[in-house]
Amino acid sequence: MVSQTKDFEEKIRKRHSLPEAIVIDCQPIGYPFYVLNLDLTYLANRNLELLEEYIMKCIVNNLNKLEEIAGFLGIDNDILERVLSKLISDDIVIRNNGFQLTEKGQDALQQQTILSPLSDSRTFYLDGLSGKLIDNFSLNKFDVKKYPNNCISKVIKKPRKDNIEDIIDYYQDIERYLQNSVSNKNVELIQVNKIEKVYPEWHEVLLVLYKSNPNDSEIEYEIFSRNSIQKDYRETIEKLYGEGKKILDPIFQDMKQDNTCNQSFTEIVSSIKDEDVKNVEQISAKISSLNDPDSFTDKNTSVKEEKQKLEKQLEQIKTQTRISEVIHTTELREYLFKALKEAKNRVMIVSPWIKSNVVNREFLSTLEETLKRKVQIHIIYGYKETPGSMKNDTWSINQLENLAHNYKNLNFQKTTNSHRKQIVCDDKFAIVTSFNFLSFRADPNLTYRDELGVVLKDKQTIEDLFNSAINLVKLK
């Protein structure tokens, strides 16, 4: 999903010339279509256009003057002259005391009279918003059961099964598609015999919310299908909004709720600057090195003075940034157990995925001991499921559900809209990190992967992080 988001950002930046555009959310939605199965009768492999045939029949029946043919068919002289010019150039008609058919023309007209009508069933797709009819569509079906609130409501009225008049406006489109589907373009639709089937389907597209730049308060959207921006869909939806039909508003509202519950978390994370994290690490490392008796300092400065100076500097940064400590991969796992073992009132763990190599018997045993001490524990997990995304382990989830059944002070819940990773321990500390607490073990004997976390000890910040995560499951 991360690579897909980056791909969306690149396409949005390129299309709209927004080099700083960032994607803030992405959700599958269903775009409505009607599937029509039609029983048709038509003539195929015609060598003559319909008007050419009628003009030639007039000539055979002794209507061989321009005015006579135009009057009989009820067409303008200009149109008639244009068709006759083509027939003459094709050596089908000659002008000789009026118009006459050549031998080639007689054979062509004879061929038209022996064509047999064809009956066929064809499938067409009617756009439920724009009313556009298409004949060939790779419909990636949207899972309505999985996302029942994410279907766009249809605007175009559903054609009725036994009412041919409901699609009479599409006859020219149907004939054109028939012409494209056979080797000879001269196809004449005689009639639509009946609508055999008509039913709605939803094409899965992705609604992507983005900002023009990270500091922009306004949220824009784009619609993707098969990783390409769907310009036609976007134009149709904008046209409907102009008519007062705000078909995306219910979906926007749900997505805004998702983002609202992440607002406090986002504000806290965005306040943590890379430069501040680096400064805390560097100064902490210097203080640590001064504890080494062999450490080198300026001749005129004692180790004690240098250490006091750095500690004062570090304290100022901590006060300004709320960063108490910067920790890395294996330390993050240690803090997870530290929270469970030291908490007196509450522990919160938020992690997108759960794996049995982490939520194992050791973890479950430590968790149960914490529950026995009457500590209130909140475990929140889950992320939007997409093809190819990580899957949770059933065994671990079952074990946690069993504990939640046996201990009322364990609140184990799933959300579908958060990628955050955090820990809260009482009002002592909170951690925000890139580390997946419940799916990454950080075994130093395995392939090393550096993950960084920031320890926060400001009580209001801790409370904001706790409440923000609780809202993830309240609003789902």
Side-chain angles (χ1 to χ4, degrees):
M1 189 63 188
V2 173
S3 61
Q4 188 180 43
T5 299
K6 290 297 180 186
D7 185 49
F8 290 154
E9 284 182 355
E10 287 175 9
K11 287 186 167 85
I12 289 168
R13 289 170 180 178
K14 185 176 180 181
R15 176 175 175 78
H16 299 294
S17 299
L18 298 170
E20 294 184 312
I22 57 166
V23 170
I24 60 173
D25 203 354
C26 174
Q27 197 165 125
I29 62 172
Y31 190 98
F33 278 85
Y34 293 112
V35 183
L36 304 176
N37 293 125
L38 305 180
D39 180 39
L40 310 173
T41 299
Y42 59 92
L43 290 173
N45 297 320
R46 294 173 55 86
N47 294 318
L48 299 172
E49 299 285 353
L50 190 60
L51 186 53
E52 291 175 338
E53 180 183 347
Y54 286 164
I55 291 171
M56 291 167 66
K57 285 180 178 178
C58 287
I59 294 172
V60 168
N61 288 280
N62 298 319
L63 296 174
N64 56 11
K65 304 294 182 185
L66 188 70
E67 294 77 10
E68 293 173 343
I69 299 172
F72 181 78
L73 295 178
I75 59 177
D76 293 337
N77 285 356
D78 290 342
I79 296 174
L80 181 57
E81 287 178 349
R82 192 160 53 246
V83 176
L84 281 167
S85 295
K86 181 178 182 299
L87 292 172
I88 291 170
S89 67
D90 291 342
D91 194 28
I92 289 175
V93 171
I94 59 172
R95 190 192 293 267
N96 183 15
N97 264 342
F99 297 104
Q100 295 179 10
L101 296 189
T102 64
E103 185 177 343
K104 180 181 177 182
Q106 291 172 2
D107 289 342
L109 188 59
Q110 177 65 23
Q111 185 65 33
Q112 293 299 106
T113 62
I114 62 175
L115 288 175
S116 298
L118 300 174
S119 290
D120 196 4
S121 290
R122 295 291 183 106
T123 299
F124 297 89
Y125 301 90
L126 181 62
D127 189 316
L129 299 185
S130 70
K132 182 180 178 182
L133 188 78
I134 55 178
D135 70 324
N136 187 14
F137 185 53
S138 179
L139 188 70
N140 184 17
K141 291 183 181 179
F142 179 75
D143 191 341
V144 178
K145 291 182 179 179
K146 190 173 182 180
Y147 303 101
N149 299 323
N150 283 26
C151 292
I152 302 177
S153 298
K154 300 174 288 293
V155 173
I156 301 300
K157 189 176 179 181
K158 178 183 177 183
R160 295 165 292 176
K161 183 177 178 182
D162 297 320
N163 293 74
I164 304 300
E165 62 271 20
D166 287 355
I167 60 166
I168 196 167
D169 291 340
Y170 297 104
Y171 275 30
Q172 285 187 340
D173 292 324
I174 293 169
E175 186 172 80
R176 175 165 53 86
Y177 289 129
L178 288 172
Q179 290 172 351
N180 293 337
S181 67
V182 297
S183 57
N184 191 316
K185 288 188 176 181
N186 293 326
V187 173
E188 178 189 345
L189 176 65
I190 296 176
Q191 68 179 17
V192 177
N193 301 312
K194 63 178 179 178
I195 302 174
E196 294 179 330
K197 290 181 183 178
V198 53
Y199 55 90
E201 288 278 12
W202 279 265
H203 171 46
E204 181 172 293
V205 297
L206 287 167
L207 182 62
V208 177
L209 301 188
Y210 71 95
K211 291 184 178 183
S212 296
N213 62 71
N215 298 320
D216 198 345
S217 60
E218 187 174 353
I219 296 176
E220 303 285 344
Y221 76 92
E222 266 301 354
I223 296 173
F224 283 79
S225 175
R226 294 178 287 276
N227 288 328
S228 298
I229 292 176
Q230 297 300 300
K231 180 183 174 184
D232 290 348
Y233 289 179
R234 173 68 184 256
E235 289 176 350
T236 296
I237 290 169
E238 287 182 344
K239 181 175 180 290
L240 291 171
Y241 265 76
E243 297 170 359
K245 299 170 184 174
K246 300 184 177 182
I247 54 175
L248 288 180
D249 274 15
I251 299 172
F252 280 148
Q253 187 60 36
D254 286 344
M255 293 178 80
K256 284 176 182 176
Q257 282 186 341
D258 290 350
N259 283 287
T260 298
C261 65
N262 279 311
Q263 188 172 354
S264 295
F265 180 80
T266 303
E267 288 175 356
I268 292 168
V269 171
S270 62
S271 71
I272 300 171
K273 307 297 182 186
D274 289 344
E275 184 180 354
D276 294 331
V277 172
K278 188 181 294 184
N279 286 338
V280 170
E281 281 199 289
Q282 289 176 345
I283 296 171
S284 297
K286 287 180 181 179
I287 293 171
S288 179
S289 70
L290 290 175
N291 293 326
D292 184 345
D294 296 327
S295 62
F296 174 81
T297 58
D298 188 276
K299 293 179 180 179
N300 298 321
T301 307
S302 69
V303 172
K304 184 177 180 181
E305 288 174 345
E306 181 68 14
K307 189 175 178 181
Q308 287 176 342
K309 177 183 174 183
L310 289 171
E311 287 175 342
K312 184 177 180 181
Q313 188 178 347
L314 180 61
E315 193 60 37
Q316 288 176 341
I317 293 175
K318 287 182 177 181
T319 302
Q320 292 169 358
T321 65
R322 296 180 290 191
I323 299 172
S324 176
E325 188 179 353
V326 178
I327 53 179
H328 288 267
T329 313
T330 54
E331 296 170 300
L332 286 157
R333 172 83 170 162
E334 291 168 5
Y335 260 91
L336 172 63
F337 282 90
K338 175 183 172 69
L340 290 173
K341 291 175 180 178
E342 296 183 3
K344 294 182 179 179
N345 300 307
R346 66 180 182 182
V347 172
M348 171 179 281
I349 305 167
V350 184
S351 183
W353 299 284
I354 293 177
K355 290 290 183 182
S356 58
N357 65 326
V358 177
V359 181
N360 52 19
R361 297 195 183 281
E362 177 196 8
F363 173 85
L364 292 167
S365 175
T366 304
L367 178 65
E368 187 166 14
E369 289 301 315
T370 309
L371 290 167
K372 288 177 179 178
R373 300 200 316 268
K374 307 300 182 184
V375 174
Q376 183 70 38
I377 298 179
H378 303 267
I379 297 178
I380 299 170
Y381 78 103
Y383 189 58
K384 294 174 186 173
E385 295 180 4
T386 58
S389 65
M390 188 185 295
K391 304 299 181 186
N392 293 298
D393 281 341
T394 304
W395 181 85
S396 296
I397 290 174
N398 288 340
Q399 296 300 312
L400 291 169
E401 286 176 344
N402 289 337
L403 282 175
H405 177 75
N406 294 329
Y407 294 91
K408 301 307 178 186
N409 51 323
L410 173 57
N411 180 23
F412 177 55
Q413 288 187 278
K414 184 177 182 180
T415 184
T416 59
N417 59 355
S418 178
H419 195 258
R420 72 170 72 183
K421 300 100 174 176
Q422 74 177 56
I423 288 178
V424 171
C425 177
D426 293 332
D427 59 359
K428 293 179 181 178
F429 68 84
I431 298 174
V432 292
T433 177
S434 59
F435 182 91
N436 289 290
F437 287 106
L438 301 182
S439 65
F440 182 43
R441 190 173 179 179
D443 188 335
N445 297 318
L446 300 176
T447 303
Y448 183 73
R449 183 176 93 200
D450 186 36
E451 302 282 0
L452 180 143
V454 175
V455 181
L456 306 168
K457 293 187 177 179
D458 175 73
K459 290 188 177 182
Q460 186 57 55
T461 302
I462 293 170
E463 198 63 29
D464 289 344
L465 283 169
F466 180 86
N467 291 331
S468 168
I470 288 294
N471 284 332
L472 289 173
V473 289
K474 281 185 178 179
L475 294 175
K476 72 172 184 174

